Amino acid sequence: MLRGATICGVGSYVPERVLTNTDLEEMVDTSDEWIVNHTGIKQRRIAAADQASSDLAIMAGQRALQDAAVRPEDLNLVIVNTLTPDMFFPATACLVQDALGATNAGAFDMSSGCTGFIYALAAGANFIRSNDYEYVLVISAETLSRIANWTDRSTCVLFGDGAGAAVLKPCPPGGGLLSYALDSHGEHGDLLILPGGGSRLRLTPQLIAEHKDCLEMEGHEIFKLAVRGIPQVAEVALDKAGVSASDVAAVVMHQANKRILDAAGQRLGIPNERIVCTVDKYGNTSAASVPLALDDIYRRGGLHPGDIVLFVGFGAGFTLGAAVVRWTLEPFTTNTPA
Ligand code: ACO
């Protein structure tokens, strides 16, 4: 039987600068009331001018390693999932690997939109389950403020910057990652897109003036796909794990919109108090939102060994993903050894 892979340390980082809805009222034609009623978002964090995604990832990675009491040189692999890499290449994961001192690790980037952490968790766990690697660091980091169109009220109010990380290690079968389900619906790729700057559309001053270097989104269509798709992909992962929705102690879902969290919870039959919500304080941080939410509940002492945790994500691609984890870490306390 394959050995298992489990999360043995969690960490996150958000930049210091807070951008409130009231601040946004000064920038575009919007209101705190509209944003709160339509999304549940009250504020978001914005990276400093000299902070790139790797800087956020390094902080989150250091905190996760400290929590796991794992030395950087013991890492075999660093995986970074991001829509906003520092640059096309080198991979952000290589920059992070170097900065952390993970001198014995390989490193690569993945891009799976807001579902990113679930894709990276599944990939990282399989390197361990196959007996190839002992310690894998999985990080999702985003600086969406760099690709937001700050003149478009229908998108710019939604996004924020941040990073979250988890260290994975082997565990006995039956613990840690029990199952995952990864979906892609590329036919809906045009609903959430950054059109310029790649090999399809080279940026020109004219295209930059038209904001083709910024994210474009059909929010309403994404909303419908998410509310329909989340319960489906979650049910597949729950079935594969041999557990039911009533066994789930906590749902760590992509934080795009409080209305999506509520609707998905209702369709799954999981009460609101089991659904982690951080969208009010961080907004939508794309791939980073799931590990940020995980760190939030973990550091509040909300997870206990044996708890069934359901991870669910959706986002650019259009991707969907879910993972079921039997939690093995003791609740975080400030006394947890560094
Ligand atoms: N302030 C005030 N009014 C606004 C704003 C704003 N910030 N944004 C839009 N409006 C207006 C619109 O212009 C529209 O006005 P109209 O009726 O006069 O035309 C009205 O509000 C309603 O607009 P809708 O787009 O229908 O609003 P909706 O209730 O659907 O909420 C939202 C929009 C928040 C974007 C929602 O659709 C949503 O959350 N979608 C999901 C987005 C998402 O989950 N993305 C995930 C992936 S992100 C990633 O991968 C990076």
Side-chain angles (χ1 to χ4, degrees):
M1 198 178 195
L2 285 181
R3 64 180 179 174
T6 195
I7 294 173
C8 63
V10 184
S12 69
Y13 172 79
V14 288
E16 273 176 34
R17 184 179 161 208
V18 175
L19 186 71
T20 65
N21 292 350
T22 316
D23 296 330
L24 279 162
E25 287 175 357
E26 307 290 315
M27 298 163 62
V28 284
D29 180 15
T30 192
S31 65
D32 175 51
E33 191 190 0
W34 191 97
I35 301 170
V36 171
N37 288 344
H38 285 251
T39 70
I41 299 168
K42 294 179 181 157
Q43 61 178 48
R44 66 288 293 142
R45 300 299 183 102
I46 303 293
D50 62 353
Q51 278 182 315
S53 292
S54 68
D55 299 309
L56 278 49
I58 291 160
M59 293 294 291
Q62 278 170 340
R63 289 175 181 178
L65 285 169
Q66 189 183 33
D67 185 47
V70 168
R71 298 176 312 163
E73 56 270 34
D74 292 331
L75 288 173
N76 303 112
L77 185 63
V78 177
I79 303 175
V80 173
N81 202 304
T82 181
L83 284 179
T84 49
D86 287 26
M87 52 200 116
F88 271 139
F89 58 86
T92 301
C94 295
L95 307 176
V96 173
Q97 167 268 317
D98 175 51
L100 290 177
T103 44
N104 299 307
F108 64 85
D109 282 3
M110 299 173 76
S111 168
S112 343
C114 305
T115 319
F117 187 75
I118 293 158
Y119 269 76
L121 179 65
N126 280 329
F127 280 97
I128 292 171
R129 299 206 288 199
S130 62
N131 275 313
D132 285 327
Y133 287 150
E134 295 298 306
Y135 290 108
V136 176
L137 176 62
V138 174
I139 309 179
S140 290
E142 302 284 11
T143 44
L144 293 172
S145 60
R146 298 284 152 70
I147 58 164
N149 176 352
W150 291 102
T151 67
D152 174 16
R153 69 176 182 175
S154 69
T155 52
C156 75
V157 303
L158 305 174
F159 299 110
D161 300 335
V167 182
L168 309 180
K169 73 167 188 185
C171 72
L177 183 67
L178 300 183
S179 70
Y180 55 85
L182 306 176
D183 280 358
S184 170
H185 300 276
E187 70 276 20
H188 299 307
D190 56 343
L191 296 179
L192 181 49
I193 185 169
L194 195 155
S199 58
R200 176 72 61 195
L201 189 63
R202 194 168 172 189
L203 285 171
T204 62
Q206 173 65 29
L207 290 172
I208 292 172
E210 292 168 14
H211 301 290
K212 293 298 174 197
D213 56 339
C214 296
L215 173 157
E216 295 174 0
M217 183 174 75
E218 300 284 338
H220 205 66
E221 292 307 309
I222 300 256
F223 192 100
K224 287 191 285 185
L225 284 177
V227 170
R228 214 180 307 135
I230 292 167
Q232 287 170 357
V233 75
E235 294 289 356
V236 173
L238 288 169
D239 276 357
K240 281 173 79 175
V243 298
S244 68
S246 58
D247 298 320
V248 172
V251 182
V252 183
M253 206 187 306
H254 172 46
Q255 308 283 312
N257 186 319
K258 179 75 169 73
R259 287 156 54 210
I260 297 180
L261 296 178
D262 292 345
Q266 219 166 35
R267 289 189 183 204
L268 280 164
I270 296 178
N272 256 351
E273 58 273 16
R274 293 197 203 154
I275 298 176
V276 184
C277 179
T278 56
V279 73
D280 53 336
K281 51 184 179 182
Y282 301 138
N284 178 346
T285 56
S286 190
S289 87
V290 166
L292 271 171
L294 174 65
D295 200 38
D296 191 82
I297 184 173
Y298 170 60
R299 285 185 192 249
R300 283 189 283 110
L303 294 177
H304 300 85
D307 281 352
I308 295 291
V309 184
L310 171 64
F311 293 87
V312 193
F314 61 93
F318 180 78
T319 55
L320 279 160
V324 177
V325 165
R326 191 185 305 279
W327 195 252
T328 55
L329 257 179
E330 291 297 330
F332 180 85
T333 68
T334 45
N335 298 326
T336 298

